[in-house]
Amino acid sequence: MSTEPLDPPDEKDGPGERADPWYRRGPIGFRRSQVPEETTDERLLATPSRADWVHSDPWRVLRIQSEFVEGFGALAELGPAVSVFGSARTPVDSPEYATGVEVGRRLVDAGFAVITGGGPGLMAAANRGACDAGGTSVGLGIELPHEQGMNEWVDLGVNFRYFFARKTMFLKYSQGFVVLPGGFGTLDELFEALTLVQTGKVKRFPLVLLGSAYWGGLLDWVRGTQLAAGTISARDLDLLTLTDDPQEAVDLMVRARQASPRPRD
């Protein structure tokens, strides 16, 4: 886990980029020739070619356990929070970035901490809005082949080696998700949460898609293909809310908090 602030970007760097950024693996940082060729997740999921996994995998369980312990310890007293997801590639001068800042600010004004993946783009936008509003701005980072590091608006940062440990933190310490335009990672978080709500593993968990021009086609496909084929039910569509209004997204989170006054275990 790393919580120290990052240096601001060099003037010669592009938006959200830094010269020789740190590659994070838990509490350890690497640069240049020391950057490992494989991520921890990659090694975990690799097909073993020999029987040495019998010796390495049981020890790996302890590392996985430590990630849960560190995450729980860092976030246990966070209070009501909402996770905001979106693309790391969105430029700062885009309308979507401005929307992300507004969402972060409005969530803090409504009494929530803001949690993101800690990276650049729309994650940084939501963290920036939360930070500017004087609220708690959280980033849950992940070890990636091209490490981006925590954005400068994160006040509490936790770095993870394993995606599944990180996903658990998003779900355990959030009362809902606001999903801005994003790529595969955003879809991954969205549909994992959607599946947990659909199957009753998580209750009273609002999922808001913010941006009808971006998300409308996805919902059209869900209705026209999945619902038409009978692979989902009509009531499953009610689990998602599509809007262009950041305040509507925040209001849904507030109503969910009022309907569920006790924190989830």
Side-chain angles (χ1 to χ4, degrees), residues 229-254:
T231 55
I232 64 169
S233 65
R235 65 182 180 181
D236 290 335
L237 293 171
D238 296 333
L239 303 177
L240 290 168
T241 299
L242 178 65
T243 183
D244 291 306
D245 182 4
Q247 188 58 52
E248 181 181 358
V250 174
D251 290 342
L252 285 168
M253 302 298 158
V254 172

Side-chain angles (χ1 to χ4, degrees), residues 35-195:
V35 174
E37 295 182 358
E38 294 179 318
T39 68
T40 309
D41 256 335
E42 186 178 357
R43 291 200 306 277
L44 172 66
L45 299 174
T47 302
S49 56
R50 303 182 307 276
D52 56 359
W53 64 271
V54 174
H55 307 288
S56 61
D57 278 7
W59 287 105
R60 187 173 286 130
V61 170
L62 297 178
R63 180 183 293 161
I64 293 169
Q65 176 180 288
S66 74
E67 293 221 329
F68 282 103
V69 171
E70 290 176 353
F72 293 158
L75 303 174
E77 298 179 359
L78 184 61
V82 171
S83 287
V84 181
F85 297 98
S87 175
R89 305 182 185 190
T90 303
V92 297
D93 58 352
S94 67
E96 292 80 10
Y97 187 95
T99 299
V101 173
E102 183 180 358
V103 168
R105 177 179 59 79
R106 288 178 181 267
L107 284 169
V108 168
D109 290 344
F112 292 102
V114 172
I115 306 174
T116 78
L122 294 180
M123 292 176 280
N127 286 133
R128 181 175 185 171
C131 189
D132 288 348
T136 303
S137 178
V138 181
L140 305 182
I142 185 70
E143 177 193 348
L144 294 173
H146 303 288
E147 178 67 25
Q148 296 161 331
M150 292 287 179
N151 68 67
E152 62 183 303
W153 308 105
V154 170
D155 297 320
L156 172 61
V158 185
N159 281 298
F160 291 88
R161 295 178 174 92
Y162 300 103
F163 266 111
F164 57 84
R166 180 182 185 237
K167 287 179 180 179
T168 300
M169 302 303 153
F170 278 126
L171 285 158
K172 180 171 177 59
Y173 293 105
S174 298
Q175 296 190 349
F177 286 178
V178 176
V179 187
L180 296 162
F184 289 159
T186 301
L187 289 172
D188 179 45
E189 299 290 357
L190 169 63
F191 279 102
E192 176 144 353
L194 185 59
T195 301

